[in-house]
Amino acid sequence: MEDIEDLLIGSRNASPQGFRLPLAAAVGVGSKRNQLSCSSPSSAIPGTQSIYIKTFGCSHNQSDSEYMAGQLTAFGYSLSDNPEQADLWLINTCTVKSPSQSAMDTIITKGKSSNKPLVVAGCVPQGSRDLKELEGISIVGVQQIDRVVEIVEETLKGHEVRLLTRKKLPSLDLPKVRKNKFVEILPINVGCLGACTYCKTKHARGHLGSYTIDSLVGRVKSVISEGVKEIWLSSEDTGAYGRDIGVNLPTLLNSLVAELPADASTMLRIGMTNPPYILEHLKEIAEILRHPCVYSFLHVPVQSGSDTILSAMNREYTVSEFRTVVDTLTELVPEMQIATDIICGFPGETDEDFVQTINLIKEYKFPQVHISQFYPRPGTPAARMKKVPSNVVKRRSRELTAVFESFTPYSGMEGKVERIWITDIASDGVHLVGHTKGYIQVLVLAANHMLGTSAMVKITSVGRWSVFGEVIETVHHVSDNKAPNKLVPNQDTPSLCGNPAKSGGFSEEPESCACGNDICCDQGTLVPQNQSERNFIGWMLRKWEHQERKIDREVASESVKKQEGSMKRWDFVDKVLLGGVSISILTIISLVAALMYRIVWAQ
């Protein structure tokens, strides 16, 4: 099977990226044995079909899916949440762990059995193009997402096509359909400079390739004008940014921060960075993390607390250097929150090595730890190393998870007043989700028009994975973005963004989180609710139901004092509504009494 790109090399008549190719003759590929049947004349017209998109893996993959969705909708295709009703499935894959690839295999098998046209994108086909599971399926590489329309059109015609050859980075200005309209996932570079012995992603994403500062600044300006409230910088290693083009991460971050609104209405979140390339910029990074428009949060994977294992992983740093990163940022940045990753059972890991990992996690009590069991990835050096018995790997994973879950990272926050940025609806359908400056997740009961706004909240209680808050007042954003960072609280100010549109057509399968709660992870898996629920009445009903369930639980546990306390904590709106209901009842009783009196008097 030949790649489309190979057939177009040297052709001056090749279509520009992002545009349809001329008929199938320009796509020198074979047809599938089972040609697609056309149920209606319109089914053969490009751009009239519906596409189901399934995404596995990291935020970079999610951004790729959003770009592909944007291009497809720009050409007239619709996005479907229902795989059975869709005309074609687009599966964006992840090769980090075996479970993700197994899930991909399952959905491919289901699609084939349903006779659905399939297009597979992402790291799996790019890094392992000869997989048996990919036989007879169209595939598109990670750096060819700007050609997804061509791939989809030819696949719908019954052709099996492949486009994997790397040319250049896709443009950042492609059309995009965001899963969350308030969050822009911005890739700043692809690939990395490392050569970790266990990593398959390098096979797919390749060597480091950085976007220019000008292109990234332009994208930030554009998304801010579109109403985005959070910008997530994404890459395989943020710290390595720019080393291939003669710049560095602090230079980029300072350029991006200069474009953010001075009232902090749009926040920047720095993506995952490995220790080696951030060590030389720690003070500069700390200064940026202190900026009012930047979350004081960083994801720094350590993977093991043993230098012996880090050397076997070829991680290019020591535990001491990792400690330097954490200690420096924690000292220099108020409210700094650091997340990390651990791989349990790497080949050669002894009980002593694992104890060192346990002690490291106990010492720092990280609020987020993403724990993974080692999975040998085909084609990597670690796959040829002597494995730790699987029962030992599972035991260590359970032990580390138990240690992590014993922490109470948010204790002591009760009663504090924090500013949060609200961007999503929680999976319980009751709370809205906001984050503090330190990116601590705060769940609040508030009307849905507050999505995309900022508010001052009082922390009322804390949980293991998040805290709960009560909105005190919304933060009014000053109109002059050139002014100093000044906050003007105004409880009566409505949201400037209105109700968010439902972001249909996406299905996401993130990596499993060690904490057992996906909302603590980098990808985020909060599920938007239906538009019919996004109104004031629906919110109030959900809030009252939530209050009743809370009281029932407290009564069941004989927590009478807690019940009385919760009633006392009703906010002003609740009291007004209760007073209004009481007055209405009294008015009705008075009217009924007056009517009865007139009837008796008339007799």
Side-chain angles (χ1 to χ4, degrees):
M1 183 61 59
E2 297 176 287
D3 289 353
I4 296 178
E5 204 67 33
D6 296 334
L7 296 170
L8 293 178
I9 292 176
S11 172
R12 295 184 179 179
N13 296 323
S15 294
Q17 292 188 355
F19 289 85
R20 298 186 175 101
L21 286 171
L23 303 174
V27 187
V29 292
S31 298
K32 297 179 181 178
R33 293 182 179 178
N34 296 324
Q35 294 291 325
L36 301 177
S37 59
C38 298
S39 56
S40 66
S42 64
S43 65
I45 302 175
T48 61
Q49 297 86 356
S50 61
I51 312 295
Y52 169 70
I53 300 177
K54 178 79 171 180
T55 305
F56 296 88
C58 64
S59 59
H60 197 162
N61 261 23
Q62 181 61 49
S63 177
D64 286 350
S65 289
E66 292 175 354
Y67 272 124
M68 289 189 284
Q71 293 170 88
L72 290 167
T73 55
F75 276 97
Y77 293 96
S78 61
L79 304 179
S80 174
D81 288 316
N82 190 328
E84 302 304 324
Q85 295 179 0
D87 297 302
L88 178 142
W89 292 2
L90 173 57
I91 308 165
N92 196 359
T93 61
C94 174
T95 190
V96 171
K97 301 179 184 178
S98 295
S100 293
Q101 192 159 330
S102 297
M104 176 206 75
D105 296 342
T106 300
I107 193 171
I108 286 177
T109 300
K110 183 178 180 181
K112 287 181 175 179
S113 64
S114 302
N115 200 30
K116 293 288 184 180
L118 300 174
V119 174
V120 177
C123 292
V124 171
Q126 187 72 70
S128 306
R129 64 180 69 187
D130 296 325
L131 279 177
K132 182 179 180 181
E133 291 80 5
L134 297 177
E135 291 180 359
I137 295 176
S138 295
I139 58 179
V140 56
V142 294
Q143 293 186 22
Q144 300 288 359
I145 60 172
D146 50 358
R147 306 291 293 277
V148 67
V149 173
E150 300 160 22
I151 296 289
V152 165
E153 288 191 353
E154 295 304 324
T155 302
L156 286 169
K157 294 175 185 176
H159 301 143
E160 175 195 345
V161 293
R162 297 190 168 198
L163 205 163
L164 292 168
T165 305
R166 296 187 182 93
K167 292 291 183 180
K168 59 181 181 180
L169 298 179
S171 171
L172 295 174
D173 295 327
L174 295 169
K176 197 171 192 180
V177 176
R178 299 184 189 93
K179 185 172 182 286
N180 183 329
K181 67 176 289 186
F182 298 113
V183 176
E184 166 72 7
I185 304 172
L186 178 61
I188 63 173
N189 55 264
V190 300
C192 67
L193 294 175
C196 300
T197 55
Y198 58 84
C199 184
K200 185 76 172 177
T201 305
K202 180 68 175 281
H203 295 191
R205 295 284 182 178
H207 199 67
L208 181 67
S210 303
Y211 284 96
T212 65
I213 290 179
D214 287 344
S215 65
L216 292 166
V217 168
R219 182 64 182 177
V220 165
K221 289 181 178 178
S222 174
V223 301
I224 290 174
S225 69
E226 294 170 7
V228 161
K229 299 303 176 183
E230 283 188 5
I231 300 172
W232 298 358
L233 303 186
S234 178
S235 75
E236 281 63 59
D237 187 357
T238 301
Y241 169 81
R243 289 175 177 259
D244 57 322
I245 58 175
V247 294
N248 58 37
L249 181 61
T251 303
L252 169 67
L253 294 177
N254 282 315
S255 298
L256 298 183
V257 167
E259 301 301 329
L260 299 177
D263 59 5
S265 55
T266 298
M267 295 292 288
L268 183 72
R269 193 185 81 173
I270 303 175
M272 186 274 291
T273 179
N274 289 313
Y277 303 109
I278 195 177
L279 277 165
E280 63 188 80
H281 302 303
L282 280 178
K283 290 186 178 180
E284 296 96 322
I285 297 298
E287 183 178 356
I288 293 165
L289 288 168
R290 290 196 299 267
H291 193 281
C293 299
V294 181
Y295 285 120
S296 303
F297 170 84
L298 201 59
H299 178 195
V300 188
V302 63
Q303 303 301 6
S304 175
S306 165
D307 283 340
T308 301
I309 298 303
L310 290 179
S311 178
M313 292 177 172
N314 197 27
R315 289 289 288 170
E316 300 180 340
Y317 59 88
T318 64
V319 175
S320 176
E321 290 172 326
F322 172 78
R323 289 176 181 272
T324 298
V325 173
V326 176
D327 293 343
T328 302
L329 294 180
T330 302
E331 178 186 355
L332 297 179
V333 184
E335 303 181 58
M336 184 68 197
Q337 297 282 310
I338 294 178
T340 195
D341 298 348
I342 295 291
I343 296 176
C344 289
F346 188 83
E349 183 185 64
T350 64
D351 288 339
E352 182 181 352
D353 294 323
F354 181 64
V355 168
Q356 293 179 48
T357 299
I358 289 283
N359 291 339
L360 181 71
I361 299 303
K362 284 183 177 179
E363 177 182 351
Y364 285 99
K365 294 182 171 59
F366 297 104
Q368 296 182 28
V369 180
H370 308 151
I371 302 172
S372 301
Q373 298 176 28
F374 171 74
Y375 295 103
R377 307 303 295 132
T380 62
R384 300 188 295 270
M385 298 178 182
K386 185 177 180 180
K387 299 176 180 62
V388 176
S390 60
N391 62 321
V392 176
V393 176
K394 292 177 181 178
R395 175 177 57 79
R396 290 175 181 171
S397 177
R398 289 194 296 268
E399 182 179 346
L400 184 58
T401 299
V403 168
F404 165 69
E405 291 181 346
S406 70
F407 304 153
T408 54
Y410 308 128
S411 61
M413 288 189 68
E414 296 95 331
K416 287 187 175 181
V417 175
E418 299 272 357
R419 183 182 181 183
I420 66 170
W421 289 261
I422 303 172
T423 57
D424 218 330
I425 298 178
S427 55
D428 64 3
V430 175
H431 296 87
L432 299 187
V433 180
H435 291 92
T436 67
K437 175 70 161 62
Y439 211 68
I440 297 172
Q441 181 173 260
V442 182
L443 303 180
V444 296
L445 289 168
N448 288 1
H449 68 71
M450 290 195 67
L451 285 165
T453 68
S454 182
M456 303 302 295
V457 300
K458 181 179 181 181
I459 305 303
T460 56
S461 62
V462 300
R464 177 57 188 84
W465 318 115
S466 56
V467 303
F468 294 84
E470 178 182 291
V471 175
I472 298 174
E473 54 194 358
T474 58
V475 176
H476 174 61
H477 299 143
V478 295
S479 58
D480 184 7
N481 285 338
K482 301 297 182 181
N485 286 291
K486 182 173 69 172
L487 308 181
V488 184
N490 184 349
Q491 188 173 10
D492 299 324
T493 302
S495 166
L496 300 178
C497 302
N499 290 335
K502 181 179 178 182
S503 54
F506 285 99
S507 179
E508 183 180 9
E509 189 73 21
E511 292 299 322
S512 298
C513 295
C515 60
N517 189 335
D518 285 335
I519 57 179
C520 78
C521 282
D522 196 46
Q523 295 90 346
T525 57
L526 301 168
V527 182
Q529 302 300 300
N530 292 331
Q531 285 291 335
S532 61
E533 297 176 352
R534 297 188 172 188
N535 53 62
F536 179 76
I537 296 176
W539 165 72
M540 284 304 305
L541 290 174
R542 293 198 307 272
K543 182 172 180 179
W544 280 70
E545 290 172 359
H546 174 73
Q547 186 73 20
E548 290 176 358
R549 290 197 301 268
K550 180 179 178 182
I551 295 173
D552 289 342
R553 288 195 301 268
E554 291 171 347
V555 171
S557 62
E558 299 181 357
S559 301
V560 177
K561 292 183 179 180
K562 290 185 179 179
Q563 177 182 348
E564 293 173 350
S566 68
M567 298 298 290
K568 291 177 182 178
R569 288 195 298 268
W570 279 20
D571 59 22
F572 176 75
V573 175
D574 293 315
K575 293 176 182 177
V576 170
L577 289 174
L578 183 60
V581 171
S582 301
I583 293 173
S584 299
I585 293 174
L586 291 174
T587 302
I588 293 172
I589 293 174
S590 301
L591 291 173
V592 171
L595 180 62
M596 293 297 297
Y597 176 78
R598 292 186 63 180
I599 293 174
V600 172
W601 180 259
Q603 292 177 348

